[in-house]
Amino acid sequence: MQRLRTQVAIVGAGPSGLMLGHLLHLHGIDSVIVENRSQEYVVERVRAGVLEQGAVDLMRDAGVGARLAREGLRHSGVYIAFSGRRHHIDMEELTGGRAITVYGQNEVVKDLIDARAASGRPLHFGASDVAVHDIDREHPRVTFRLGDDEHELTCDFVAGCDGFHGICRPAIPPTRLQTYQRDYPFAWLGILADAAPSSDELVYSLHERGFALFSMRSPRVTRLYLQCAIDEDLDNWSDDRIWSELKTRLRTSDGWEPNEGPITQKGVTPMRSFVAEPMREGRLFLAGDAAHIVPPTGAKGLNLAMADVWRLGSALASYYKSADVRGLETYSDRGIRRTWRAQRFSWWMTSMLHRSDSENPFDYKRQIAELDYLVSSRAAMTSLAENYVGTAFD
Ligand code: FAD
Ligand code: PHB
């Protein structure tokens, strides 16, 4: 058994764990990051693509934004498509200059792993049997195995950055945790294709056959999603069928449609809304997907995760610098408020843009009327824009 000591034990090397480790490093606080997957798996996992202004600012201010500034695609607007037409929403103009940036989550993760390596602080991939203990004592512990070696990490705080299926949230006694959940009766089939994006902005589309989303990763790579069944079998989706369905749902009467190219990745993502309250128990703090999940339609998950670790990093810095516990004590309440705002927005975008078997022709007409109102009212567009670009981290 190897016994280790650190100030903050971080479980999970997704965007939240890596960013928290980096922010703590900038404050001179020691941490150990323990991840159960391999480095390749963590870096290759294709997920989010949209960064709010606050997340871009955080990357820049933390000194890990150089590649993002060079390669990120700044988008000042977004298209909403329905009934054969695309409608542009100029988010920058509506929000007084705020925008989003398209930069793959795996690029964020790559940049943060590089920063971790440069810091010389420990990051263990491929850990097994990860468990947290004594979260209500002064010195919690995290135990794990690396190969055949057992490790016991004693710390001051544990950061549960281990995503929805992690082990940190279940370490909180159920009587101390209130959870709220909504599962949606559909999923997303997502692809990456080697095709130049045919639109300068993202296109969110509601079609009679269901939702579709046009996004991108670079000037040569398009990212596309279509609403599918929860138990969709990818084997039933040949590349031809995927392109045909995407084009049917996205094509507009002005002739716009996505460019085709070789499909390099396919996956099915379930859709869920989930909140766990509070985000803290004793000396365990939950951050990111460990504490909350939003359906991807609002592009909020990664951004909520970044807002959490920004708050947690600042709170821990105040604690270590001047024994000030106010940040730690308000961490959960402030996070929950932001989470519910993002939950409301993500649920609204999802309900407005997807078709559900439990709904009838009345509901489709109502959805079209809502979209029609959205793209013709400056107040409604401003509401979407404000939520989509996100509020400053607080
Ligand atoms: P995760 O990324 O889940 O990281 C948790 C880490 O903990 C993982 O590396 C995991 O392997 C590790 N772990 C798990 N269990 C253990 C254990 N027992 N021990 C050690 N380590 C463990 N969000 C957006 O903001 N914008 C978008 O455009 C967007 N699009 C999305 C599209 C898709 C298809 C999907 C699936 C998600 C999307 N999201 C989006 C959501 C976003 O990807 C997540 O919110 C984000 O990954 C959360 O980061 P995290 O670090 O909290 O959790
Ligand atoms: C993506 O590019 O992966 C993406 C964009 C917008 C979303 C979700 C995912 O709402």
Side-chain angles (χ1 to χ4, degrees), residues 11-16 34-37 42 45 47-50 105 130 161-163 166-167 223 225 269 288-289 296 299-303 305:
V11 184
S16 352
V34 182
E35 162 66 49
N36 64 353
R37 300 287 194 153
V42 168
R45 191 166 42 192
R47 294 175 94 181
V50 171
Q105 176 168 324
V130 183
C161 300
D162 51 347
I167 47 95
R223 175 88 169 134
Y225 297 96
T269 306
D289 279 17
K300 289 281 160 249
L302 172 58
N303 295 295

PDB file of all heavy atoms in Angstrom, residues 11-16 34-37 42 45 47-50 105 130 161-163 166-167 223 225 269 288-289 296 299-303 305, ligand 1:
ATOM      1  N   VAL A  11     -11.306  13.424  -8.251  1.00  0.00           N
ATOM      2  CA  VAL A  11     -11.694  12.170  -8.906  1.00  0.00           C
ATOM      3  C   VAL A  11     -12.269  12.516 -10.274  1.00  0.00           C
ATOM      4  O   VAL A  11     -13.288  13.208 -10.363  1.00  0.00           O
ATOM      5  CB  VAL A  11     -12.726  11.389  -8.053  1.00  0.00           C
ATOM      6  CG1 VAL A  11     -13.043  10.044  -8.717  1.00  0.00           C
ATOM      7  CG2 VAL A  11     -12.212  11.181  -6.639  1.00  0.00           C
ATOM      8  N   GLY A  12     -11.615  12.042 -11.339  1.00  0.00           N
ATOM      9  CA  GLY A  12     -12.101  12.279 -12.699  1.00  0.00           C
ATOM     10  C   GLY A  12     -11.234  13.284 -13.442  1.00  0.00           C
ATOM     11  O   GLY A  12     -10.930  14.365 -12.923  1.00  0.00           O
ATOM     12  N   ALA A  13     -10.830  12.906 -14.663  1.00  0.00           N
ATOM     13  CA  ALA A  13     -10.015  13.811 -15.500  1.00  0.00           C
ATOM     14  C   ALA A  13     -10.777  14.179 -16.765  1.00  0.00           C
ATOM     15  O   ALA A  13     -10.246  14.153 -17.867  1.00  0.00           O
ATOM     16  CB  ALA A  13      -8.675  13.165 -15.837  1.00  0.00           C
ATOM     17  N   GLY A  14     -12.057  14.531 -16.587  1.00  0.00           N
ATOM     18  CA  GLY A  14     -12.809  15.168 -17.665  1.00  0.00           C
ATOM     19  C   GLY A  14     -12.500  16.661 -17.599  1.00  0.00           C
ATOM     20  O   GLY A  14     -11.567  17.085 -16.888  1.00  0.00           O
ATOM     21  N   PRO A  15     -13.278  17.466 -18.310  1.00  0.00           N
ATOM     22  CA  PRO A  15     -13.021  18.912 -18.272  1.00  0.00           C
ATOM     23  C   PRO A  15     -13.062  19.478 -16.860  1.00  0.00           C
ATOM     24  O   PRO A  15     -12.225  20.331 -16.511  1.00  0.00           O
ATOM     25  CB  PRO A  15     -14.160  19.501 -19.112  1.00  0.00           C
ATOM     26  CG  PRO A  15     -14.730  18.374 -19.897  1.00  0.00           C
ATOM     27  CD  PRO A  15     -14.365  17.094 -19.222  1.00  0.00           C
ATOM     28  N   SER A  16     -13.999  19.013 -15.988  1.00  0.00           N
ATOM     29  CA  SER A  16     -14.069  19.632 -14.650  1.00  0.00           C
ATOM     30  C   SER A  16     -12.842  19.299 -13.815  1.00  0.00           C
ATOM     31  O   SER A  16     -12.238  20.193 -13.218  1.00  0.00           O
ATOM     32  CB  SER A  16     -15.293  19.243 -13.822  1.00  0.00           C
ATOM     33  OG  SER A  16     -16.233  18.530 -14.436  1.00  0.00           O
ATOM     34  N   VAL A  34      -7.218  11.525 -10.149  1.00  0.00           N
ATOM     35  CA  VAL A  34      -7.309  10.071 -10.340  1.00  0.00           C
ATOM     36  C   VAL A  34      -8.420   9.784 -11.342  1.00  0.00           C
ATOM     37  O   VAL A  34      -9.583  10.163 -11.114  1.00  0.00           O
ATOM     38  CB  VAL A  34      -7.633   9.374  -8.996  1.00  0.00           C
ATOM     39  CG1 VAL A  34      -7.681   7.862  -9.189  1.00  0.00           C
ATOM     40  CG2 VAL A  34      -6.604   9.745  -7.936  1.00  0.00           C
ATOM     41  N   GLU A  35      -8.081   9.116 -12.439  1.00  0.00           N
ATOM     42  CA  GLU A  35      -9.036   8.866 -13.528  1.00  0.00           C
ATOM     43  C   GLU A  35      -9.049   7.363 -13.821  1.00  0.00           C
ATOM     44  O   GLU A  35      -8.001   6.735 -13.899  1.00  0.00           O
ATOM     45  CB  GLU A  35      -8.595   9.668 -14.772  1.00  0.00           C
ATOM     46  CG  GLU A  35      -9.178   9.246 -16.103  1.00  0.00           C
ATOM     47  CD  GLU A  35     -10.686   9.465 -16.243  1.00  0.00           C
ATOM     48  OE1 GLU A  35     -11.169  10.568 -15.935  1.00  0.00           O
ATOM     49  OE2 GLU A  35     -11.365   8.507 -16.672  1.00  0.00           O
ATOM     50  N   ASN A  36     -10.246   6.794 -14.021  1.00  0.00           N
ATOM     51  CA  ASN A  36     -10.261   5.339 -14.215  1.00  0.00           C
ATOM     52  C   ASN A  36     -10.084   4.911 -15.672  1.00  0.00           C
ATOM     53  O   ASN A  36      -9.815   3.757 -15.943  1.00  0.00           O
ATOM     54  CB  ASN A  36     -11.502   4.695 -13.579  1.00  0.00           C
ATOM     55  CG  ASN A  36     -12.807   5.134 -14.216  1.00  0.00           C
ATOM     56  OD1 ASN A  36     -12.804   6.024 -15.068  1.00  0.00           O
ATOM     57  ND2 ASN A  36     -13.904   4.534 -13.820  1.00  0.00           N
ATOM     58  N   ARG A  37     -10.213   5.833 -16.615  1.00  0.00           N
ATOM     59  CA  ARG A  37     -10.025   5.469 -18.024  1.00  0.00           C
ATOM     60  C   ARG A  37      -8.597   5.770 -18.470  1.00  0.00           C
ATOM     61  O   ARG A  37      -7.856   6.437 -17.767  1.00  0.00           O
ATOM     62  CB  ARG A  37     -10.995   6.269 -18.902  1.00  0.00           C
ATOM     63  CG  ARG A  37     -12.441   6.049 -18.576  1.00  0.00           C
ATOM     64  CD  ARG A  37     -12.875   4.691 -19.042  1.00  0.00           C
ATOM     65  NE  ARG A  37     -14.324   4.586 -19.034  1.00  0.00           N
ATOM     66  CZ  ARG A  37     -15.001   3.773 -19.831  1.00  0.00           C
ATOM     67  NH1 ARG A  37     -14.379   2.995 -20.684  1.00  0.00           N
ATOM     68  NH2 ARG A  37     -16.315   3.726 -19.762  1.00  0.00           N
ATOM     69  N   VAL A  42      -9.959   9.230 -22.802  1.00  0.00           N
ATOM     70  CA  VAL A  42     -10.427  10.544 -22.325  1.00  0.00           C
ATOM     71  C   VAL A  42     -10.260  11.600 -23.425  1.00  0.00           C
ATOM     72  O   VAL A  42     -11.128  12.443 -23.640  1.00  0.00           O
ATOM     73  CB  VAL A  42      -9.659  10.935 -21.035  1.00  0.00           C
ATOM     74  CG1 VAL A  42      -9.896  12.382 -20.666  1.00  0.00           C
ATOM     75  CG2 VAL A  42     -10.072  10.022 -19.894  1.00  0.00           C
ATOM     76  N   ARG A  45     -12.728  10.828 -26.647  1.00  0.00           N
ATOM     77  CA  ARG A  45     -14.184  10.844 -26.439  1.00  0.00           C
ATOM     78  C   ARG A  45     -14.801  12.105 -27.061  1.00  0.00           C
ATOM     79  O   ARG A  45     -14.486  13.224 -26.660  1.00  0.00           O
ATOM     80  CB  ARG A  45     -14.411  10.832 -24.923  1.00  0.00           C
ATOM     81  CG  ARG A  45     -15.783  10.597 -24.471  1.00  0.00           C
ATOM     82  CD  ARG A  45     -15.826  10.277 -22.994  1.00  0.00           C
ATOM     83  NE  ARG A  45     -14.941  11.107 -22.184  1.00  0.00           N
ATOM     84  CZ  ARG A  45     -14.641  10.853 -20.919  1.00  0.00           C
ATOM     85  NH1 ARG A  45     -15.129   9.813 -20.308  1.00  0.00           N
ATOM     86  NH2 ARG A  45     -13.834  11.657 -20.252  1.00  0.00           N
ATOM     87  N   ARG A  47     -17.523  14.733 -27.572  1.00  0.00           N
ATOM     88  CA  ARG A  47     -18.705  15.208 -26.846  1.00  0.00           C
ATOM     89  C   ARG A  47     -19.008  16.643 -27.243  1.00  0.00           C
ATOM     90  O   ARG A  47     -19.225  16.918 -28.400  1.00  0.00           O
ATOM     91  CB  ARG A  47     -18.514  15.027 -25.347  1.00  0.00           C
ATOM     92  CG  ARG A  47     -18.453  13.554 -25.016  1.00  0.00           C
ATOM     93  CD  ARG A  47     -18.158  13.314 -23.589  1.00  0.00           C
ATOM     94  NE  ARG A  47     -19.340  13.133 -22.773  1.00  0.00           N
ATOM     95  CZ  ARG A  47     -19.309  12.923 -21.494  1.00  0.00           C
ATOM     96  NH1 ARG A  47     -18.171  12.872 -20.861  1.00  0.00           N
ATOM     97  NH2 ARG A  47     -20.411  12.763 -20.805  1.00  0.00           N
ATOM     98  N   ALA A  48     -18.972  17.537 -26.269  1.00  0.00           N
ATOM     99  CA  ALA A  48     -19.453  18.897 -26.505  1.00  0.00           C
ATOM    100  C   ALA A  48     -18.618  19.664 -27.522  1.00  0.00           C
ATOM    101  O   ALA A  48     -17.483  19.297 -27.820  1.00  0.00           O
ATOM    102  CB  ALA A  48     -19.451  19.646 -25.182  1.00  0.00           C
ATOM    103  N   GLY A  49     -19.208  20.758 -28.009  1.00  0.00           N
ATOM    104  CA  GLY A  49     -18.472  21.577 -28.955  1.00  0.00           C
ATOM    105  C   GLY A  49     -18.638  23.071 -28.765  1.00  0.00           C
ATOM    106  O   GLY A  49     -17.907  23.849 -29.356  1.00  0.00           O
ATOM    107  N   VAL A  50     -19.595  23.463 -27.907  1.00  0.00           N
ATOM    108  CA  VAL A  50     -19.910  24.896 -27.814  1.00  0.00           C
ATOM    109  C   VAL A  50     -19.440  25.454 -26.473  1.00  0.00           C
ATOM    110  O   VAL A  50     -19.866  24.989 -25.416  1.00  0.00           O
ATOM    111  CB  VAL A  50     -21.428  25.116 -27.977  1.00  0.00           C
ATOM    112  CG1 VAL A  50     -21.800  26.559 -27.670  1.00  0.00           C
ATOM    113  CG2 VAL A  50     -21.880  24.738 -29.381  1.00  0.00           C
ATOM    114  N   GLN A 105     -14.701  19.582 -27.107  1.00  0.00           N
ATOM    115  CA  GLN A 105     -14.362  19.274 -25.709  1.00  0.00           C
ATOM    116  C   GLN A 105     -13.050  18.495 -25.635  1.00  0.00           C
ATOM    117  O   GLN A 105     -12.263  18.680 -24.713  1.00  0.00           O
ATOM    118  CB  GLN A 105     -15.502  18.456 -25.098  1.00  0.00           C
ATOM    119  CG  GLN A 105     -15.226  17.996 -23.690  1.00  0.00           C
ATOM    120  CD  GLN A 105     -16.466  17.438 -23.018  1.00  0.00           C
ATOM    121  OE1 GLN A 105     -17.579  17.929 -23.242  1.00  0.00           O
ATOM    122  NE2 GLN A 105     -16.313  16.425 -22.201  1.00  0.00           N
ATOM    123  N   VAL A 130     -11.622   2.796  -7.545  1.00  0.00           N
ATOM    124  CA  VAL A 130     -11.531   4.122  -6.904  1.00  0.00           C
ATOM    125  C   VAL A 130     -12.679   4.253  -5.884  1.00  0.00           C
ATOM    126  O   VAL A 130     -13.833   3.953  -6.200  1.00  0.00           O
ATOM    127  CB  VAL A 130     -11.633   5.249  -7.959  1.00  0.00           C
ATOM    128  CG1 VAL A 130     -11.466   6.617  -7.311  1.00  0.00           C
ATOM    129  CG2 VAL A 130     -10.599   5.043  -9.070  1.00  0.00           C
ATOM    130  N   CYS A 161     -15.378  15.006  -9.522  1.00  0.00           N
ATOM    131  CA  CYS A 161     -15.487  15.501 -10.904  1.00  0.00           C
ATOM    132  C   CYS A 161     -15.612  14.299 -11.826  1.00  0.00           C
ATOM    133  O   CYS A 161     -15.080  14.290 -12.933  1.00  0.00           O
ATOM    134  CB  CYS A 161     -14.250  16.309 -11.275  1.00  0.00           C
ATOM    135  SG  CYS A 161     -13.974  17.741 -10.230  1.00  0.00           S
ATOM    136  N   ASP A 162     -16.323  13.245 -11.353  1.00  0.00           N
ATOM    137  CA  ASP A 162     -16.281  11.960 -12.046  1.00  0.00           C
ATOM    138  C   ASP A 162     -17.539  11.667 -12.853  1.00  0.00           C
ATOM    139  O   ASP A 162     -17.852  10.506 -13.125  1.00  0.00           O
ATOM    140  CB  ASP A 162     -15.967  10.829 -11.060  1.00  0.00           C
ATOM    141  CG  ASP A 162     -16.862  10.829  -9.827  1.00  0.00           C
ATOM    142  OD1 ASP A 162     -17.564  11.849  -9.608  1.00  0.00           O
ATOM    143  OD2 ASP A 162     -16.871   9.840  -9.093  1.00  0.00           O
ATOM    144  N   GLY A 163     -18.243  12.717 -13.261  1.00  0.00           N
ATOM    145  CA  GLY A 163     -19.337  12.539 -14.212  1.00  0.00           C
ATOM    146  C   GLY A 163     -20.556  11.855 -13.604  1.00  0.00           C
ATOM    147  O   GLY A 163     -20.593  11.531 -12.420  1.00  0.00           O
ATOM    148  N   GLY A 166     -20.136   8.310 -11.946  1.00  0.00           N
ATOM    149  CA  GLY A 166     -18.982   8.189 -11.055  1.00  0.00           C
ATOM    150  C   GLY A 166     -19.344   7.626  -9.683  1.00  0.00           C
ATOM    151  O   GLY A 166     -20.488   7.235  -9.425  1.00  0.00           O
ATOM    152  N   ILE A 167     -18.329   7.614  -8.792  1.00  0.00           N
ATOM    153  CA  ILE A 167     -18.532   7.001  -7.474  1.00  0.00           C
ATOM    154  C   ILE A 167     -18.683   8.047  -6.364  1.00  0.00           C
ATOM    155  O   ILE A 167     -18.974   7.701  -5.224  1.00  0.00           O
ATOM    156  CB  ILE A 167     -17.365   6.037  -7.113  1.00  0.00           C
ATOM    157  CG1 ILE A 167     -16.011   6.688  -7.375  1.00  0.00           C
ATOM    158  CG2 ILE A 167     -17.449   4.751  -7.928  1.00  0.00           C
ATOM    159  CD1 ILE A 167     -15.378   7.339  -6.240  1.00  0.00           C
ATOM    160  N   ARG A 223     -20.005  18.380 -37.713  1.00  0.00           N
ATOM    161  CA  ARG A 223     -20.598  17.550 -36.656  1.00  0.00           C
ATOM    162  C   ARG A 223     -22.106  17.647 -36.823  1.00  0.00           C
ATOM    163  O   ARG A 223     -22.648  18.763 -36.906  1.00  0.00           O
ATOM    164  CB  ARG A 223     -20.171  18.091 -35.291  1.00  0.00           C
ATOM    165  CG  ARG A 223     -20.800  17.402 -34.094  1.00  0.00           C
ATOM    166  CD  ARG A 223     -20.008  16.229 -33.664  1.00  0.00           C
ATOM    167  NE  ARG A 223     -20.415  15.672 -32.379  1.00  0.00           N
ATOM    168  CZ  ARG A 223     -20.587  14.373 -32.167  1.00  0.00           C
ATOM    169  NH1 ARG A 223     -20.430  13.497 -33.145  1.00  0.00           N
ATOM    170  NH2 ARG A 223     -20.902  13.926 -30.973  1.00  0.00           N
ATOM    171  N   TYR A 225     -26.158  15.929 -35.826  1.00  0.00           N
ATOM    172  CA  TYR A 225     -26.953  15.068 -34.946  1.00  0.00           C
ATOM    173  C   TYR A 225     -28.356  14.932 -35.511  1.00  0.00           C
ATOM    174  O   TYR A 225     -28.883  15.882 -36.106  1.00  0.00           O
ATOM    175  CB  TYR A 225     -27.100  15.696 -33.568  1.00  0.00           C
ATOM    176  CG  TYR A 225     -25.822  15.902 -32.780  1.00  0.00           C
ATOM    177  CD1 TYR A 225     -25.167  17.136 -32.808  1.00  0.00           C
ATOM    178  CD2 TYR A 225     -25.295  14.893 -31.988  1.00  0.00           C
ATOM    179  CE1 TYR A 225     -24.009  17.347 -32.055  1.00  0.00           C
ATOM    180  CE2 TYR A 225     -24.138  15.105 -31.231  1.00  0.00           C
ATOM    181  CZ  TYR A 225     -23.513  16.327 -31.271  1.00  0.00           C
ATOM    182  OH  TYR A 225     -22.378  16.549 -30.526  1.00  0.00           O
ATOM    183  N   THR A 269     -26.511   9.144 -28.130  1.00  0.00           N
ATOM    184  CA  THR A 269     -26.472   9.796 -26.815  1.00  0.00           C
ATOM    185  C   THR A 269     -27.872   9.887 -26.226  1.00  0.00           C
ATOM    186  O   THR A 269     -28.752  10.477 -26.850  1.00  0.00           O
ATOM    187  CB  THR A 269     -25.966  11.250 -26.972  1.00  0.00           C
ATOM    188  OG1 THR A 269     -24.729  11.220 -27.663  1.00  0.00           O
ATOM    189  CG2 THR A 269     -25.793  11.933 -25.645  1.00  0.00           C
ATOM    190  N   GLY A 288     -19.661  19.621 -12.047  1.00  0.00           N
ATOM    191  CA  GLY A 288     -19.936  19.148 -13.410  1.00  0.00           C
ATOM    192  C   GLY A 288     -20.999  18.061 -13.448  1.00  0.00           C
ATOM    193  O   GLY A 288     -21.935  18.047 -12.637  1.00  0.00           O
ATOM    194  N   ASP A 289     -20.834  17.114 -14.383  1.00  0.00           N
ATOM    195  CA  ASP A 289     -21.850  16.086 -14.603  1.00  0.00           C
ATOM    196  C   ASP A 289     -22.071  15.181 -13.386  1.00  0.00           C
ATOM    197  O   ASP A 289     -23.077  14.482 -13.324  1.00  0.00           O
ATOM    198  CB  ASP A 289     -21.465  15.203 -15.806  1.00  0.00           C
ATOM    199  CG  ASP A 289     -21.811  15.848 -17.152  1.00  0.00           C
ATOM    200  OD1 ASP A 289     -22.044  17.075 -17.177  1.00  0.00           O
ATOM    201  OD2 ASP A 289     -21.837  15.126 -18.171  1.00  0.00           O
ATOM    202  N   PRO A 296     -28.370  17.844 -24.340  1.00  0.00           N
ATOM    203  CA  PRO A 296     -27.370  18.661 -25.039  1.00  0.00           C
ATOM    204  C   PRO A 296     -27.933  19.789 -25.907  1.00  0.00           C
ATOM    205  O   PRO A 296     -27.161  20.613 -26.404  1.00  0.00           O
ATOM    206  CB  PRO A 296     -26.620  17.641 -25.909  1.00  0.00           C
ATOM    207  CG  PRO A 296     -27.504  16.459 -26.021  1.00  0.00           C
ATOM    208  CD  PRO A 296     -28.359  16.442 -24.804  1.00  0.00           C
ATOM    209  N   ALA A 299     -26.580  23.130 -25.189  1.00  0.00           N
ATOM    210  CA  ALA A 299     -25.109  23.215 -25.182  1.00  0.00           C
ATOM    211  C   ALA A 299     -24.579  23.765 -23.853  1.00  0.00           C
ATOM    212  O   ALA A 299     -23.694  24.605 -23.812  1.00  0.00           O
ATOM    213  CB  ALA A 299     -24.614  24.058 -26.361  1.00  0.00           C
ATOM    214  N   LYS A 300     -25.122  23.279 -22.744  1.00  0.00           N
ATOM    215  CA  LYS A 300     -24.791  23.864 -21.433  1.00  0.00           C
ATOM    216  C   LYS A 300     -23.913  22.995 -20.540  1.00  0.00           C
ATOM    217  O   LYS A 300     -23.324  23.484 -19.571  1.00  0.00           O
ATOM    218  CB  LYS A 300     -26.096  24.166 -20.665  1.00  0.00           C
ATOM    219  CG  LYS A 300     -26.887  25.315 -21.221  1.00  0.00           C
ATOM    220  CD  LYS A 300     -26.301  26.645 -20.792  1.00  0.00           C
ATOM    221  CE  LYS A 300     -26.733  27.768 -21.677  1.00  0.00           C
ATOM    222  NZ  LYS A 300     -25.710  28.351 -22.515  1.00  0.00           N
ATOM    223  N   GLY A 301     -23.813  21.681 -20.806  1.00  0.00           N
ATOM    224  CA  GLY A 301     -23.175  20.777 -19.846  1.00  0.00           C
ATOM    225  C   GLY A 301     -21.739  21.142 -19.521  1.00  0.00           C
ATOM    226  O   GLY A 301     -21.360  21.310 -18.350  1.00  0.00           O
ATOM    227  N   LEU A 302     -20.930  21.283 -20.544  1.00  0.00           N
ATOM    228  CA  LEU A 302     -19.515  21.608 -20.345  1.00  0.00           C
ATOM    229  C   LEU A 302     -19.370  22.985 -19.690  1.00  0.00           C
ATOM    230  O   LEU A 302     -18.498  23.203 -18.834  1.00  0.00           O
ATOM    231  CB  LEU A 302     -18.820  21.579 -21.711  1.00  0.00           C
ATOM    232  CG  LEU A 302     -17.386  22.051 -21.813  1.00  0.00           C
ATOM    233  CD1 LEU A 302     -16.484  21.240 -20.899  1.00  0.00           C
ATOM    234  CD2 LEU A 302     -16.906  21.923 -23.255  1.00  0.00           C
ATOM    235  N   ASN A 303     -20.240  23.890 -20.078  1.00  0.00           N
ATOM    236  CA  ASN A 303     -20.160  25.253 -19.543  1.00  0.00           C
ATOM    237  C   ASN A 303     -20.538  25.307 -18.067  1.00  0.00           C
ATOM    238  O   ASN A 303     -19.916  26.024 -17.287  1.00  0.00           O
ATOM    239  CB  ASN A 303     -21.043  26.170 -20.396  1.00  0.00           C
ATOM    240  CG  ASN A 303     -20.505  26.270 -21.815  1.00  0.00           C
ATOM    241  OD1 ASN A 303     -19.422  26.791 -22.027  1.00  0.00           O
ATOM    242  ND2 ASN A 303     -21.246  25.747 -22.782  1.00  0.00           N
ATOM    243  N   ALA A 305     -20.096  22.840 -16.065  1.00  0.00           N
ATOM    244  CA  ALA A 305     -18.956  22.192 -15.398  1.00  0.00           C
ATOM    245  C   ALA A 305     -17.837  23.212 -15.170  1.00  0.00           C
ATOM    246  O   ALA A 305     -17.237  23.281 -14.092  1.00  0.00           O
ATOM    247  CB  ALA A 305     -18.462  21.018 -16.243  1.00  0.00           C
TER     248      ALA A 305
HETATM  249  P1  FAD B   1     -17.083  14.013 -17.688  1.00  0.00           P
HETATM  250  O1  FAD B   1     -16.657  14.620 -18.953  1.00  0.00           O
HETATM  251  O2  FAD B   1     -18.074  12.906 -17.694  1.00  0.00           O
HETATM  252  O3  FAD B   1     -15.754  13.532 -16.956  1.00  0.00           O
HETATM  253  C1  FAD B   1     -15.792  12.683 -15.819  1.00  0.00           C
HETATM  254  C2  FAD B   1     -14.525  11.869 -15.796  1.00  0.00           C
HETATM  255  O4  FAD B   1     -14.529  11.060 -14.632  1.00  0.00           O
HETATM  256  C3  FAD B   1     -14.418  10.930 -16.994  1.00  0.00           C
HETATM  257  O5  FAD B   1     -13.160  11.073 -17.608  1.00  0.00           O
HETATM  258  C4  FAD B   1     -14.633   9.559 -16.396  1.00  0.00           C
HETATM  259  O6  FAD B   1     -13.939   8.550 -17.099  1.00  0.00           O
HETATM  260  C5  FAD B   1     -14.090   9.761 -14.984  1.00  0.00           C
HETATM  261  N1  FAD B   1     -14.606   8.801 -14.015  1.00  0.00           N
HETATM  262  C6  FAD B   1     -15.840   8.233 -13.968  1.00  0.00           C
HETATM  263  N2  FAD B   1     -15.917   7.365 -12.940  1.00  0.00           N
HETATM  264  C7  FAD B   1     -14.705   7.378 -12.325  1.00  0.00           C
HETATM  265  C8  FAD B   1     -14.177   6.690 -11.214  1.00  0.00           C
HETATM  266  N3  FAD B   1     -14.901   5.798 -10.535  1.00  0.00           N
HETATM  267  N4  FAD B   1     -12.915   6.957 -10.860  1.00  0.00           N
HETATM  268  C9  FAD B   1     -12.159   7.856 -11.545  1.00  0.00           C
HETATM  269  N5  FAD B   1     -12.612   8.536 -12.608  1.00  0.00           N
HETATM  270  C10 FAD B   1     -13.873   8.306 -12.993  1.00  0.00           C
HETATM  271  N6  FAD B   1     -21.953  20.416 -23.174  1.00  0.00           N
HETATM  272  C11 FAD B   1     -21.810  21.684 -23.625  1.00  0.00           C
HETATM  273  O7  FAD B   1     -21.572  22.590 -22.802  1.00  0.00           O
HETATM  274  N7  FAD B   1     -21.903  22.031 -24.942  1.00  0.00           N
HETATM  275  C12 FAD B   1     -22.177  21.097 -25.875  1.00  0.00           C
HETATM  276  O8  FAD B   1     -22.191  21.429 -27.068  1.00  0.00           O
HETATM  277  C13 FAD B   1     -22.385  19.740 -25.446  1.00  0.00           C
HETATM  278  N8  FAD B   1     -22.637  18.779 -26.334  1.00  0.00           N
HETATM  279  C14 FAD B   1     -22.666  17.481 -25.919  1.00  0.00           C
HETATM  280  C15 FAD B   1     -22.860  16.512 -26.866  1.00  0.00           C
HETATM  281  C16 FAD B   1     -22.873  15.192 -26.487  1.00  0.00           C
HETATM  282  C17 FAD B   1     -23.071  14.150 -27.555  1.00  0.00           C
HETATM  283  C18 FAD B   1     -22.680  14.818 -25.112  1.00  0.00           C
HETATM  284  C19 FAD B   1     -22.661  13.370 -24.673  1.00  0.00           C
HETATM  285  C20 FAD B   1     -22.494  15.783 -24.151  1.00  0.00           C
HETATM  286  C21 FAD B   1     -22.501  17.119 -24.536  1.00  0.00           C
HETATM  287  N9  FAD B   1     -22.297  18.130 -23.605  1.00  0.00           N
HETATM  288  C22 FAD B   1     -22.236  19.432 -24.049  1.00  0.00           C
HETATM  289  C23 FAD B   1     -22.105  17.819 -22.188  1.00  0.00           C
HETATM  290  C24 FAD B   1     -20.628  17.752 -21.773  1.00  0.00           C
HETATM  291  O9  FAD B   1     -19.922  16.873 -22.606  1.00  0.00           O
HETATM  292  C25 FAD B   1     -20.486  17.335 -20.302  1.00  0.00           C
HETATM  293  O10 FAD B   1     -21.305  18.159 -19.527  1.00  0.00           O
HETATM  294  C26 FAD B   1     -19.038  17.399 -19.784  1.00  0.00           C
HETATM  295  O11 FAD B   1     -18.291  16.337 -20.291  1.00  0.00           O
HETATM  296  C27 FAD B   1     -18.965  17.380 -18.264  1.00  0.00           C
HETATM  297  O12 FAD B   1     -17.631  17.321 -17.851  1.00  0.00           O
HETATM  298  P2  FAD B   1     -17.244  16.619 -16.494  1.00  0.00           P
HETATM  299  O13 FAD B   1     -15.750  16.734 -16.395  1.00  0.00           O
HETATM  300  O14 FAD B   1     -18.058  17.118 -15.381  1.00  0.00           O
HETATM  301  O15 FAD B   1     -17.671  15.099 -16.686  1.00  0.00           O
END
